Amino acid sequence: MGDRMLPLERLVHPDRTPVLAVGSNACPGQLRAKFAESGITAPMPLVRVRVTGIDVGVSAHISRMGYVSASPFAAPGTVRELFLTWPDAGQLAVVDASEGVPLPYGNYRRAWLSAPEVRIELEDGRTLPGAFVYVNRRGVLHDGTGAPRRHGDQRALLTALLSELPRLRELCGDTPEEFCARVRSDPALGARGTALFSEEGLVVPSGLERYVGGRRTVGRGAGAPWPPP
């Protein structure tokens, strides 16, 4: 609550909605900032989980804050440790809005990943029937072989992209610092760089598109009981 990290009383919260955190949504400070803008100070549980079936890739868009964010992609058999957030209805609406979900051309769409295609295992060994995740509407960047590129350190990622793409350097500068500063000062540069990813043939589907538009609400706080009876 506020600036405090409180111990968890349980791992599953039936009155809330399970949402896998990929990228900055796993950062308590980032979430606190999003909620503070809407006057929300209530705590939100985050639990560590082992997820089989997805990996963390590079979103095919440049954010207004001057970075290239993380986005999940389908990766059968791959196991990743991620955080699972449990927002209530108000918190979920805030995060949805921050990801552009309510907008027809927002950057992300919320998708329900269901077992057994995606396995989500809690620290006590229990598995969940599924969870939501935010999927980039444009897809993800590939690694040069056609396979999705894995997301890592942001500075290393920007350095690599600027090295590989002369047109991106012309647009956004030679260094990650220049890149961030230019995009933050002129959002049109980010939009142009996003279009450039597609023009350069760097974009592939995440493989999670088929999950978009599935189950809409879970958790009593979101309008329906969870887990299902």
Side-chain angles (χ1 to χ4, degrees):
M1 179 178 294
D3 292 321
R4 291 184 295 158
M5 299 287 287
L6 304 176
L8 287 171
E9 296 179 355
R10 58 187 187 276
L11 300 179
V12 175
H13 299 262
D15 57 337
R16 293 170 174 263
T17 298
V19 183
L20 286 170
V22 175
S24 64
N25 282 337
C27 173
Q30 173 83 341
L31 293 168
R32 181 183 180 279
K34 289 183 179 184
F35 296 151
E37 291 180 359
S38 298
I40 294 175
T41 58
M44 183 181 71
L46 284 84
V47 302
R48 193 184 300 274
V49 292
R50 284 170 54 87
V51 182
T52 304
I54 67 171
D55 206 343
V56 180
V58 179
S59 298
H61 87 281
I62 297 171
S63 80
R64 290 180 296 176
M65 294 302 294
Y67 59 86
V68 183
S69 59
S71 187
F73 64 89
T78 296
V79 180
R80 288 292 303 259
E81 280 201 353
L82 297 173
F83 279 98
L84 183 73
T85 65
W86 291 93
D88 61 25
Q91 293 166 337
L92 181 63
V94 168
V95 180
D96 274 359
S98 74
E99 302 295 346
V101 172
L103 304 174
Y105 298 105
N107 290 321
Y108 290 90
R109 296 174 291 178
R110 182 154 50 86
W112 175 258
L113 306 181
S114 57
E117 290 89 350
V118 176
R119 176 184 171 86
I120 303 170
E121 182 180 352
L122 299 168
E123 289 182 316
D124 63 6
R126 285 181 293 170
T127 59
L128 301 182
F132 284 106
V133 75
Y134 293 102
V135 176
N136 196 282
R137 183 175 60 83
R138 298 176 181 84
V140 294
L141 302 186
H142 68 71
D143 62 3
T145 70
R149 183 175 199 148
R150 294 188 69 187
H151 199 287
D153 175 74
Q154 182 69 202
R155 194 177 197 284
L157 172 62
L158 291 179
T159 298
L161 290 174
L162 290 169
S163 173
E164 296 164 12
L165 300 171
R167 293 171 63 197
L168 188 63
R169 288 200 304 276
E170 293 174 10
L171 193 68
C172 298
D174 295 325
T175 67
E177 291 78 13
E178 269 191 283
F179 180 100
C180 293
R182 289 193 187 185
V183 172
R184 288 182 180 183
S185 65
D186 184 358
L189 288 181
R192 184 70 190 92
T194 296
L196 189 151
F197 288 154
S198 181
E199 293 165 9
E200 293 283 344
L202 295 179
V203 181
V204 292
S206 69
L208 300 175
E209 290 80 7
R210 63 193 177 97
Y211 295 102
V212 175
R215 183 176 182 151
R216 292 293 183 185
T217 57
V218 293
R220 286 194 294 272
W226 193 95

